[in-house]
Amino acid sequence: MKLNYGEALKQQRTLMGYTQEQLSKATGIAQPNISAWENNVYAPSMDFCIILADFYGISIDELVGRDFPK
């Protein structure tokens, strides 16, 4: 199943055991931005994707739920 980017961002956050507020404090990203991204209000910029991917220790592809065709 392919996730949209908001679902993928939320899944990664919850998988790592963070609330939106905890993630905000740990990364310096405003909590309302995290909420908007997870609810597909708008997409995060590449800069924010890099911050989150580095924080979680994963690729940007993994962060946004991108699957590669086999």
Side-chain angles (χ1 to χ4, degrees), residues 41-66:
V41 174
Y42 56 88
S45 70
M46 182 60 68
D47 291 337
F48 284 124
C49 286
I50 291 169
I51 290 168
L52 289 172
D54 286 351
F55 179 77
Y56 293 136
I58 60 174
S59 71
I60 292 174
D61 288 321
E62 291 173 291
L63 179 72
V64 298
R66 183 169 184 239

PDB file of all heavy atoms in Angstrom, residues 41-66:
ATOM      1  N   VAL A  41      -2.314  19.555   4.189  1.00  0.00           N
ATOM      2  CA  VAL A  41      -2.720  20.931   3.905  1.00  0.00           C
ATOM      3  C   VAL A  41      -1.751  21.524   2.896  1.00  0.00           C
ATOM      4  O   VAL A  41      -2.153  22.181   1.945  1.00  0.00           O
ATOM      5  CB  VAL A  41      -2.776  21.775   5.194  1.00  0.00           C
ATOM      6  CG1 VAL A  41      -3.056  23.235   4.885  1.00  0.00           C
ATOM      7  CG2 VAL A  41      -3.833  21.201   6.147  1.00  0.00           C
ATOM      8  N   TYR A  42      -0.471  21.274   3.113  1.00  0.00           N
ATOM      9  CA  TYR A  42       0.574  21.610   2.153  1.00  0.00           C
ATOM     10  C   TYR A  42       1.777  20.724   2.410  1.00  0.00           C
ATOM     11  O   TYR A  42       1.881  20.110   3.464  1.00  0.00           O
ATOM     12  CB  TYR A  42       0.944  23.103   2.164  1.00  0.00           C
ATOM     13  CG  TYR A  42       1.368  23.652   3.508  1.00  0.00           C
ATOM     14  CD1 TYR A  42       2.694  23.597   3.920  1.00  0.00           C
ATOM     15  CD2 TYR A  42       0.451  24.252   4.360  1.00  0.00           C
ATOM     16  CE1 TYR A  42       3.080  24.102   5.135  1.00  0.00           C
ATOM     17  CE2 TYR A  42       0.835  24.771   5.577  1.00  0.00           C
ATOM     18  CZ  TYR A  42       2.159  24.697   5.966  1.00  0.00           C
ATOM     19  OH  TYR A  42       2.542  25.201   7.183  1.00  0.00           O
ATOM     20  N   ALA A  43       2.643  20.647   1.430  1.00  0.00           N
ATOM     21  CA  ALA A  43       3.812  19.770   1.514  1.00  0.00           C
ATOM     22  C   ALA A  43       4.994  20.514   2.139  1.00  0.00           C
ATOM     23  O   ALA A  43       5.146  21.718   1.939  1.00  0.00           O
ATOM     24  CB  ALA A  43       4.202  19.275   0.124  1.00  0.00           C
ATOM     25  N   PRO A  44       5.828  19.800   2.877  1.00  0.00           N
ATOM     26  CA  PRO A  44       7.028  20.431   3.426  1.00  0.00           C
ATOM     27  C   PRO A  44       8.015  20.754   2.311  1.00  0.00           C
ATOM     28  O   PRO A  44       8.060  20.081   1.282  1.00  0.00           O
ATOM     29  CB  PRO A  44       7.592  19.369   4.367  1.00  0.00           C
ATOM     30  CG  PRO A  44       7.057  18.077   3.860  1.00  0.00           C
ATOM     31  CD  PRO A  44       5.727  18.385   3.244  1.00  0.00           C
ATOM     32  N   SER A  45       8.808  21.777   2.548  1.00  0.00           N
ATOM     33  CA  SER A  45       9.859  22.116   1.593  1.00  0.00           C
ATOM     34  C   SER A  45      10.954  21.055   1.647  1.00  0.00           C
ATOM     35  O   SER A  45      11.028  20.256   2.590  1.00  0.00           O
ATOM     36  CB  SER A  45      10.466  23.484   1.933  1.00  0.00           C
ATOM     37  OG  SER A  45      11.226  23.396   3.134  1.00  0.00           O
ATOM     38  N   MET A  46      11.802  21.071   0.655  1.00  0.00           N
ATOM     39  CA  MET A  46      12.924  20.127   0.616  1.00  0.00           C
ATOM     40  C   MET A  46      13.814  20.307   1.849  1.00  0.00           C
ATOM     41  O   MET A  46      14.296  19.327   2.423  1.00  0.00           O
ATOM     42  CB  MET A  46      13.733  20.321  -0.668  1.00  0.00           C
ATOM     43  CG  MET A  46      14.881  19.341  -0.800  1.00  0.00           C
ATOM     44  SD  MET A  46      14.380  17.605  -0.809  1.00  0.00           S
ATOM     45  CE  MET A  46      13.525  17.528  -2.348  1.00  0.00           C
ATOM     46  N   ASP A  47      14.020  21.551   2.265  1.00  0.00           N
ATOM     47  CA  ASP A  47      14.847  21.810   3.451  1.00  0.00           C
ATOM     48  C   ASP A  47      14.288  21.097   4.680  1.00  0.00           C
ATOM     49  O   ASP A  47      15.036  20.493   5.447  1.00  0.00           O
ATOM     50  CB  ASP A  47      14.961  23.308   3.720  1.00  0.00           C
ATOM     51  CG  ASP A  47      15.777  24.034   2.670  1.00  0.00           C
ATOM     52  OD1 ASP A  47      16.606  23.391   1.993  1.00  0.00           O
ATOM     53  OD2 ASP A  47      15.594  25.262   2.535  1.00  0.00           O
ATOM     54  N   PHE A  48      12.971  21.176   4.872  1.00  0.00           N
ATOM     55  CA  PHE A  48      12.363  20.513   6.021  1.00  0.00           C
ATOM     56  C   PHE A  48      12.402  18.997   5.873  1.00  0.00           C
ATOM     57  O   PHE A  48      12.577  18.284   6.859  1.00  0.00           O
ATOM     58  CB  PHE A  48      10.931  20.995   6.241  1.00  0.00           C
ATOM     59  CG  PHE A  48      10.845  22.360   6.863  1.00  0.00           C
ATOM     60  CD1 PHE A  48      10.133  23.366   6.231  1.00  0.00           C
ATOM     61  CD2 PHE A  48      11.466  22.645   8.066  1.00  0.00           C
ATOM     62  CE1 PHE A  48      10.045  24.633   6.798  1.00  0.00           C
ATOM     63  CE2 PHE A  48      11.386  23.905   8.646  1.00  0.00           C
ATOM     64  CZ  PHE A  48      10.672  24.898   8.009  1.00  0.00           C
ATOM     65  N   CYS A  49      12.259  18.496   4.666  1.00  0.00           N
ATOM     66  CA  CYS A  49      12.374  17.050   4.442  1.00  0.00           C
ATOM     67  C   CYS A  49      13.765  16.553   4.813  1.00  0.00           C
ATOM     68  O   CYS A  49      13.912  15.490   5.417  1.00  0.00           O
ATOM     69  CB  CYS A  49      12.057  16.703   2.987  1.00  0.00           C
ATOM     70  SG  CYS A  49      10.315  16.805   2.569  1.00  0.00           S
ATOM     71  N   ILE A  50      14.776  17.328   4.460  1.00  0.00           N
ATOM     72  CA  ILE A  50      16.151  16.948   4.803  1.00  0.00           C
ATOM     73  C   ILE A  50      16.336  16.929   6.317  1.00  0.00           C
ATOM     74  O   ILE A  50      16.925  15.991   6.875  1.00  0.00           O
ATOM     75  CB  ILE A  50      17.161  17.893   4.125  1.00  0.00           C
ATOM     76  CG1 ILE A  50      17.144  17.657   2.613  1.00  0.00           C
ATOM     77  CG2 ILE A  50      18.567  17.717   4.703  1.00  0.00           C
ATOM     78  CD1 ILE A  50      17.894  18.708   1.809  1.00  0.00           C
ATOM     79  N   ILE A  51      15.810  17.938   7.003  1.00  0.00           N
ATOM     80  CA  ILE A  51      15.918  17.989   8.465  1.00  0.00           C
ATOM     81  C   ILE A  51      15.270  16.752   9.076  1.00  0.00           C
ATOM     82  O   ILE A  51      15.858  16.097   9.950  1.00  0.00           O
ATOM     83  CB  ILE A  51      15.268  19.278   9.013  1.00  0.00           C
ATOM     84  CG1 ILE A  51      16.105  20.495   8.639  1.00  0.00           C
ATOM     85  CG2 ILE A  51      15.097  19.192  10.532  1.00  0.00           C
ATOM     86  CD1 ILE A  51      15.418  21.828   8.881  1.00  0.00           C
ATOM     87  N   LEU A  52      14.061  16.430   8.632  1.00  0.00           N
ATOM     88  CA  LEU A  52      13.352  15.283   9.201  1.00  0.00           C
ATOM     89  C   LEU A  52      14.024  13.960   8.854  1.00  0.00           C
ATOM     90  O   LEU A  52      14.169  13.087   9.718  1.00  0.00           O
ATOM     91  CB  LEU A  52      11.899  15.276   8.727  1.00  0.00           C
ATOM     92  CG  LEU A  52      11.014  16.367   9.317  1.00  0.00           C
ATOM     93  CD1 LEU A  52       9.656  16.385   8.625  1.00  0.00           C
ATOM     94  CD2 LEU A  52      10.838  16.183  10.818  1.00  0.00           C
ATOM     95  N   ALA A  53      14.428  13.789   7.610  1.00  0.00           N
ATOM     96  CA  ALA A  53      15.087  12.544   7.212  1.00  0.00           C
ATOM     97  C   ALA A  53      16.382  12.345   7.995  1.00  0.00           C
ATOM     98  O   ALA A  53      16.653  11.235   8.476  1.00  0.00           O
ATOM     99  CB  ALA A  53      15.352  12.540   5.708  1.00  0.00           C
ATOM    100  N   ASP A  54      17.164  13.402   8.138  1.00  0.00           N
ATOM    101  CA  ASP A  54      18.396  13.302   8.925  1.00  0.00           C
ATOM    102  C   ASP A  54      18.089  12.990  10.382  1.00  0.00           C
ATOM    103  O   ASP A  54      18.768  12.172  11.011  1.00  0.00           O
ATOM    104  CB  ASP A  54      19.205  14.595   8.833  1.00  0.00           C
ATOM    105  CG  ASP A  54      19.892  14.782   7.493  1.00  0.00           C
ATOM    106  OD1 ASP A  54      19.908  13.843   6.674  1.00  0.00           O
ATOM    107  OD2 ASP A  54      20.413  15.894   7.257  1.00  0.00           O
ATOM    108  N   PHE A  55      17.077  13.624  10.934  1.00  0.00           N
ATOM    109  CA  PHE A  55      16.697  13.391  12.327  1.00  0.00           C
ATOM    110  C   PHE A  55      16.314  11.932  12.553  1.00  0.00           C
ATOM    111  O   PHE A  55      16.722  11.312  13.534  1.00  0.00           O
ATOM    112  CB  PHE A  55      15.543  14.324  12.715  1.00  0.00           C
ATOM    113  CG  PHE A  55      15.075  14.141  14.118  1.00  0.00           C
ATOM    114  CD1 PHE A  55      15.809  14.649  15.181  1.00  0.00           C
ATOM    115  CD2 PHE A  55      13.904  13.451  14.392  1.00  0.00           C
ATOM    116  CE1 PHE A  55      15.384  14.477  16.494  1.00  0.00           C
ATOM    117  CE2 PHE A  55      13.465  13.275  15.692  1.00  0.00           C
ATOM    118  CZ  PHE A  55      14.204  13.788  16.749  1.00  0.00           C
ATOM    119  N   TYR A  56      15.533  11.373  11.629  1.00  0.00           N
ATOM    120  CA  TYR A  56      15.103   9.982  11.759  1.00  0.00           C
ATOM    121  C   TYR A  56      16.151   8.981  11.287  1.00  0.00           C
ATOM    122  O   TYR A  56      16.024   7.783  11.539  1.00  0.00           O
ATOM    123  CB  TYR A  56      13.825   9.744  10.951  1.00  0.00           C
ATOM    124  CG  TYR A  56      12.595  10.454  11.466  1.00  0.00           C
ATOM    125  CD1 TYR A  56      11.736  11.092  10.587  1.00  0.00           C
ATOM    126  CD2 TYR A  56      12.268  10.463  12.814  1.00  0.00           C
ATOM    127  CE1 TYR A  56      10.579  11.727  11.037  1.00  0.00           C
ATOM    128  CE2 TYR A  56      11.123  11.101  13.279  1.00  0.00           C
ATOM    129  CZ  TYR A  56      10.289  11.725  12.383  1.00  0.00           C
ATOM    130  OH  TYR A  56       9.147  12.346  12.834  1.00  0.00           O
ATOM    131  N   GLY A  57      17.170   9.437  10.567  1.00  0.00           N
ATOM    132  CA  GLY A  57      18.191   8.530  10.058  1.00  0.00           C
ATOM    133  C   GLY A  57      17.708   7.696   8.885  1.00  0.00           C
ATOM    134  O   GLY A  57      18.088   6.528   8.756  1.00  0.00           O
ATOM    135  N   ILE A  58      16.867   8.300   8.038  1.00  0.00           N
ATOM    136  CA  ILE A  58      16.322   7.597   6.877  1.00  0.00           C
ATOM    137  C   ILE A  58      16.487   8.469   5.636  1.00  0.00           C
ATOM    138  O   ILE A  58      16.868   9.632   5.727  1.00  0.00           O
ATOM    139  CB  ILE A  58      14.826   7.250   7.081  1.00  0.00           C
ATOM    140  CG1 ILE A  58      13.996   8.521   7.288  1.00  0.00           C
ATOM    141  CG2 ILE A  58      14.653   6.277   8.242  1.00  0.00           C
ATOM    142  CD1 ILE A  58      12.493   8.285   7.359  1.00  0.00           C
ATOM    143  N   SER A  59      16.169   7.903   4.470  1.00  0.00           N
ATOM    144  CA  SER A  59      16.231   8.672   3.231  1.00  0.00           C
ATOM    145  C   SER A  59      14.967   9.524   3.092  1.00  0.00           C
ATOM    146  O   SER A  59      13.945   9.261   3.729  1.00  0.00           O
ATOM    147  CB  SER A  59      16.343   7.741   2.023  1.00  0.00           C
ATOM    148  OG  SER A  59      15.116   7.058   1.823  1.00  0.00           O
ATOM    149  N   ILE A  60      15.035  10.517   2.241  1.00  0.00           N
ATOM    150  CA  ILE A  60      13.856  11.342   1.970  1.00  0.00           C
ATOM    151  C   ILE A  60      12.772  10.485   1.324  1.00  0.00           C
ATOM    152  O   ILE A  60      11.590  10.660   1.605  1.00  0.00           O
ATOM    153  CB  ILE A  60      14.227  12.556   1.103  1.00  0.00           C
ATOM    154  CG1 ILE A  60      15.109  13.506   1.920  1.00  0.00           C
ATOM    155  CG2 ILE A  60      12.977  13.291   0.616  1.00  0.00           C
ATOM    156  CD1 ILE A  60      15.658  14.681   1.144  1.00  0.00           C
ATOM    157  N   ASP A  61      13.156   9.549   0.466  1.00  0.00           N
ATOM    158  CA  ASP A  61      12.178   8.645  -0.140  1.00  0.00           C
ATOM    159  C   ASP A  61      11.396   7.892   0.935  1.00  0.00           C
ATOM    160  O   ASP A  61      10.168   7.797   0.871  1.00  0.00           O
ATOM    161  CB  ASP A  61      12.848   7.641  -1.075  1.00  0.00           C
ATOM    162  CG  ASP A  61      13.329   8.276  -2.355  1.00  0.00           C
ATOM    163  OD1 ASP A  61      12.625   9.149  -2.887  1.00  0.00           O
ATOM    164  OD2 ASP A  61      14.414   7.901  -2.835  1.00  0.00           O
ATOM    165  N   GLU A  62      12.106   7.353   1.924  1.00  0.00           N
ATOM    166  CA  GLU A  62      11.437   6.648   3.004  1.00  0.00           C
ATOM    167  C   GLU A  62      10.543   7.595   3.810  1.00  0.00           C
ATOM    168  O   GLU A  62       9.432   7.223   4.207  1.00  0.00           O
ATOM    169  CB  GLU A  62      12.459   6.019   3.956  1.00  0.00           C
ATOM    170  CG  GLU A  62      13.226   4.871   3.360  1.00  0.00           C
ATOM    171  CD  GLU A  62      14.336   4.411   4.280  1.00  0.00           C
ATOM    172  OE1 GLU A  62      15.312   5.164   4.465  1.00  0.00           O
ATOM    173  OE2 GLU A  62      14.202   3.290   4.813  1.00  0.00           O
ATOM    174  N   LEU A  63      11.016   8.813   4.012  1.00  0.00           N
ATOM    175  CA  LEU A  63      10.267   9.793   4.791  1.00  0.00           C
ATOM    176  C   LEU A  63       8.891  10.064   4.201  1.00  0.00           C
ATOM    177  O   LEU A  63       7.907  10.151   4.921  1.00  0.00           O
ATOM    178  CB  LEU A  63      11.065  11.108   4.873  1.00  0.00           C
ATOM    179  CG  LEU A  63      10.409  12.245   5.629  1.00  0.00           C
ATOM    180  CD1 LEU A  63      10.405  11.966   7.119  1.00  0.00           C
ATOM    181  CD2 LEU A  63      11.106  13.560   5.326  1.00  0.00           C
ATOM    182  N   VAL A  64       8.818  10.188   2.897  1.00  0.00           N
ATOM    183  CA  VAL A  64       7.553  10.551   2.256  1.00  0.00           C
ATOM    184  C   VAL A  64       6.789   9.340   1.699  1.00  0.00           C
ATOM    185  O   VAL A  64       5.809   9.495   1.001  1.00  0.00           O
ATOM    186  CB  VAL A  64       7.756  11.616   1.147  1.00  0.00           C
ATOM    187  CG1 VAL A  64       8.305  12.904   1.740  1.00  0.00           C
ATOM    188  CG2 VAL A  64       8.636  11.108   0.026  1.00  0.00           C
ATOM    189  N   GLY A  65       7.254   8.141   2.028  1.00  0.00           N
ATOM    190  CA  GLY A  65       6.517   6.936   1.637  1.00  0.00           C
ATOM    191  C   GLY A  65       6.643   6.580   0.169  1.00  0.00           C
ATOM    192  O   GLY A  65       5.781   5.919  -0.384  1.00  0.00           O
ATOM    193  N   ARG A  66       7.725   6.980  -0.453  1.00  0.00           N
ATOM    194  CA  ARG A  66       7.911   6.699  -1.868  1.00  0.00           C
ATOM    195  C   ARG A  66       8.393   5.270  -2.072  1.00  0.00           C
ATOM    196  O   ARG A  66       9.363   4.835  -1.475  1.00  0.00           O
ATOM    197  CB  ARG A  66       8.940   7.663  -2.470  1.00  0.00           C
ATOM    198  CG  ARG A  66       9.130   7.469  -3.941  1.00  0.00           C
ATOM    199  CD  ARG A  66       9.941   8.609  -4.539  1.00  0.00           C
ATOM    200  NE  ARG A  66      10.032   8.431  -5.972  1.00  0.00           N
ATOM    201  CZ  ARG A  66      11.172   8.318  -6.632  1.00  0.00           C
ATOM    202  NH1 ARG A  66      12.309   8.439  -5.998  1.00  0.00           N
ATOM    203  NH2 ARG A  66      11.169   8.148  -7.925  1.00  0.00           N
TER     204      ARG A  66
END
